[in-house]
Amino acid sequence: MDNFNWNNTFPDTPKSFKNKVSATLNSLPDQKENYEMRNMKSFKKRIMIGLVAAMVIGTTVFAAGKVVFINSHGSNIPNYTAIPTVEQVKKDLGFNPKLVKEFDNEYAFKGGYTIDNEVAYENENSVEKTKSLSFAYTKGKDEIMLYMENGKLGEESEEETVVDTHNGIDLYYYSYANKSVPASYKMTEQDKQDELSGKYVFSYGSDKEKISEVQGLNWMQDGIYYSFLAVDSDLSQGELVKMAKQIIDAK
């Protein structure tokens, strides 16, 4: 795949982070590419989306709030082919997220990925290096991702809604329709109306036009941030909430 200047492709809108989904919805490139997006508000969702992109393309760059950028890189080859122990995750990543091998709805662990992050903040000259973790869960042909990191980066999103509270922990949900188009795609007047109305969020870089339903659920527990990402999934909002509660209640 040829390199493309993504800086000129993504518009500076509050929803521009969603364009990052194109990396996971459209293709799995064989080489590394860089993406950069600016003026984005809902940082936590971008991290989850960026994580998945990092696993398939190598590097992602973001900018939002007090965080100037995050450079995340990983591999689409799983670091864990069987669910690791808490002790192994602590050794490899330095924090102890709650780990679930299989959910009550039969979504089961498929593979785990470690991600290396470099984080820069406003008015600071140093770069903080962190590690995060992502698990893929499957049921039949359906696959979803669970992202875990030590601490919270960025600010709360105005696009997320608290849909439930469990043991004092707020669960935030979001969803939208993503329309992926080729990099050279020229928006029609109807496209512009659809984007303005919020019917679709447009992302660029696919080999053909495709509409996907994206949904996510995230929460903080004991200083660890968790986030589900489901694309064209059979799961409902309610099922994601039940899965989150199972993690929260895990020993």
Side-chain angles (χ1 to χ4, degrees), residues 34 58 121 128 147 163:
N34 293 327
Y121 299 88
E128 178 185 359
Y147 170 72
V163 294

Side-chain angles (χ1 to χ4, degrees), residues 62-96:
F62 306 104
K66 295 182 180 179
V67 177
V68 178
F69 73 86
I70 281 191
N71 183 14
S72 300
H73 54 92
S75 171
N76 61 343
I77 300 174
N79 301 90
Y80 308 112
T81 55
I83 192 165
T85 63
V86 171
E87 292 76 17
Q88 185 65 50
V89 173
K90 176 66 175 179
K91 177 182 177 182
D92 294 344
L93 290 97
F95 66 100
N96 290 327

